[in-house]
């Protein structure tokens, strides 16, 4: 898939002050969420209930951990990558990032990860608990927006052991050759709903909208939300997952803490019947044929395909799942 190389354009990026959801402005705030999910695939939340003090400490300790434990190894990778690029090698298939992944659900691996002291482990655990609660609140807001019964999306993700939930902690250090390599190549996210705590001083995250790259603006104490492929399927295409990327910068070390609230491995994913019926009624009135646009599949099967084709367009993945689909029983 060809990705335009245009410079990011400035648009009115959707931002929701969650305090307004408890006031007479709720309707307007819900409309911003609807437009964001249908036309952007991203939005930012302010006053979301996670304490600023906790966020500040998570940021401070995460940046200190990178400097103490991961910076040396990254510099070795950076030197090799730049040397290869200077010699003419194509290094566009690597990402200029240093990361580690924490699994929270269905079973945590936090105690097993190296190079994390007790304080950092406790911070990650506390922050993940707050993000999990916020993710489920967001899912209920999306249910309301879609006209689905409360709890539908959480149940759709549950599988036999509940959702899959984990956090990717990333640093995007300065790169002397931003023209040579991206921080993270363009992709859509495979899962459900993603909640990101990003650096409020160093930019770099962009999404693709209407053929142009748009910056996701850094905002103090905001949580960025984006739609994953599974929500596109469940909403029968009403919500869209969108391509996004991280650019490298010659200055600044960007922090990114992305938490993925995804379906359980054995969860069966399919368009919500109520949304298929609603779309069918609308299309029938317009003289078009309605029905489910997306296939039914097991989430783990989709992930097995995704890991081989992450940095490619999503549409062939959906087609492949449809072509490989066998009858799947659902409760």
């Amino acid at each position: 898939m060809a990705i335009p190389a245009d410079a990011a354009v400035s648009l009115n990026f959707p931002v929701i002050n969650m305090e307004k959801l408890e006031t007479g402005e709720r309707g307007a705030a819900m409309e911003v969420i609807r437009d964001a999910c249908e036309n952007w695939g991203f939005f930012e939340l302010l006053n979301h209930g996670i304490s600023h003090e906790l966020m500040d400490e998570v940021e401070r300790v995460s940046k200190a951990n990178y400097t103490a434990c991961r910076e040396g190894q990254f510099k070795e990778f950076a030197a090799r990558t730049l040397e290869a690029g200077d010699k003419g090698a194509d290094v566009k298939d690597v990402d200029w990032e240093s990361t580690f992944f924490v699994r929270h659900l269905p079973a945590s691996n936090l105690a097993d990860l190296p190079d994390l002291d007790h304080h950092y482990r406790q911070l990650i655990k506390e922050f993940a608990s707050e993000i999990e609660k916020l993710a489920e609140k967001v899912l209920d807001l999306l249910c309301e927006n879609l006209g689905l019964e409360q709890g539908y999306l959480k149940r759709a993700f549950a599988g036999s052991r509940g959702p899959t939930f984990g956090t990717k902690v990333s640093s995007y250090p300065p790169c002397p050759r931003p023209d040579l390599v991206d921080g993270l190549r363009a992709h859509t996210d495979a899962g459900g709903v993603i909640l990101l705590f990003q650096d409020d001083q160093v930019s770099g995250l962009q999404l693709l909208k209407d053929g142009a790259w748009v910056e996701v603006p850094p905002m103090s104490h905001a949580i960025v939300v984006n739609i994953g492929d599974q929500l596109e399927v469940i909403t029968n295409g009403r919500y869209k997952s969108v391509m996004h990327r991280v650019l490298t910068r010659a200055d600044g070390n960007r922090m990114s803490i992305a938490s993925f609230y995804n379906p359980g491995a054995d969860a069966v994913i399919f368009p919500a019947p109520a949304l298929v019926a609603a779309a069918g009624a609308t299309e029938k009135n317009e003289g078009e044929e309605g029905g489910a646009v997306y296939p039914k599949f097991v989430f783990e099967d989709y992930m097995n395909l995704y890991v081989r084709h992450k940095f490619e367009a999503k549409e062939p993945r959906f087609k492949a799942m449809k072509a490989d689909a066998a009858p799947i029983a659902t409760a």
Side-chain angles (χ1 to χ4, degrees):
M1 177 182 179
I3 303 296
D6 310 15
V9 296
S10 177
L11 295 172
N12 295 321
F13 192 89
V15 178
I16 295 94
N17 179 349
M18 293 191 73
E19 288 182 344
K20 292 185 176 180
L21 294 169
E22 308 302 325
T23 71
E25 298 181 73
R26 180 182 179 86
M30 293 295 288
E31 174 58 22
V32 174
I33 294 175
R34 182 204 62 77
D35 178 68
C37 293
E38 293 182 7
N39 298 309
W40 291 78
F42 274 75
F43 54 92
E44 294 198 55
L45 297 176
L46 299 176
N47 296 314
H48 39 66
I50 301 177
S51 81
H52 292 181
E53 291 78 14
L54 174 60
M55 297 179 77
D56 289 343
E57 184 66 357
V58 167
E59 178 174 2
R60 183 189 71 80
V61 176
S62 294
K63 290 182 175 180
N65 175 266
Y66 169 77
T67 301
C69 302
R70 295 185 284 128
E71 186 173 35
Q73 184 177 9
F74 180 82
K75 286 182 175 179
E76 295 176 4
F77 157 81
R80 293 193 304 270
T81 301
L82 292 172
E83 181 181 9
D86 288 340
K87 290 181 178 179
D90 182 3
V91 293
K92 286 293 186 182
D93 61 347
V94 299
D95 300 309
W96 190 270
E97 64 175 357
S98 173
T99 71
F100 66 91
F101 191 83
V102 185
R103 185 178 65 249
H104 308 299
L105 296 174
S108 174
N109 71 341
L110 183 57
D112 303 325
L113 296 176
D115 300 326
L116 306 180
D117 62 25
H118 177 74
H119 179 54
Y120 195 15
R121 291 180 203 275
Q122 292 303 113
L123 275 177
I124 290 173
K125 185 176 180 179
E126 182 180 357
F127 184 68
S129 176
E130 294 297 311
I131 286 288
E132 181 184 0
K133 288 185 287 187
L134 181 58
E136 293 178 350
K137 185 171 185 177
V138 167
L139 288 179
D140 278 343
L141 290 171
L142 301 188
C143 283
E144 181 179 342
N145 243 323
L146 292 162
L148 296 172
E149 62 184 35
Q150 287 298 296
Y152 180 91
L153 291 174
K154 183 178 178 180
R155 291 193 299 275
F157 284 12
S160 62
R161 300 180 63 196
T164 304
F165 178 50
T167 299
K168 178 186 175 186
V169 180
S170 305
S171 295
Y172 296 94
C175 177
R177 290 287 307 278
D179 60 303
L180 198 64
V181 59
D182 285 337
L184 181 60
R185 288 162 285 168
H187 64 287
T188 65
D189 287 326
V193 62
I194 300 86
L195 284 77
L196 168 68
F197 173 27
Q198 69 167 345
D199 204 299
D200 65 358
Q201 298 296 316
V202 184
S203 62
L205 177 61
Q206 298 181 343
L207 64 91
L208 191 64
K209 177 173 169 57
D210 301 328
W213 288 107
V214 180
E215 182 177 87
V216 179
M219 299 180 69
S220 179
H221 301 120
I223 295 293
V224 179
V225 178
N226 72 281
I227 301 299
D229 292 350
Q230 306 312 302
L231 278 180
E232 179 167 335
V233 172
I234 293 170
T235 65
N236 202 34
R238 183 165 160 184
Y239 290 176
K240 302 292 186 184
S241 62
V242 300
M243 297 289 280
H244 52 284
R245 67 182 183 182
V246 177
L247 296 185
T248 48
R249 293 171 48 117
D251 60 337
N253 187 344
R254 177 177 176 270
M255 179 203 72
S256 165
I257 301 177
S259 296
F260 300 80
Y261 191 101
N262 291 344
D266 64 352
V268 178
I269 304 301
F270 55 92
L275 299 182
V276 173
T282 300
E283 290 166 357
K284 183 177 181 180
N285 290 337
E286 295 174 355
E288 300 177 5
E289 184 177 349
V293 179
Y294 296 81
K296 178 187 292 187
F297 52 81
V298 175
F299 178 61
E300 186 174 35
D301 293 339
Y302 185 85
M303 285 302 300
N304 290 337
L305 178 67
Y306 178 84
V307 295
R308 301 195 303 272
H309 302 281
K310 174 178 178 178
F311 300 109
E312 301 171 17
K314 62 189 173 182
E315 290 81 7
R317 297 196 295 266
F318 293 145
K319 289 181 180 177
M321 296 308 298
K322 188 172 185 177
D324 293 343
I328 302 171
T330 54

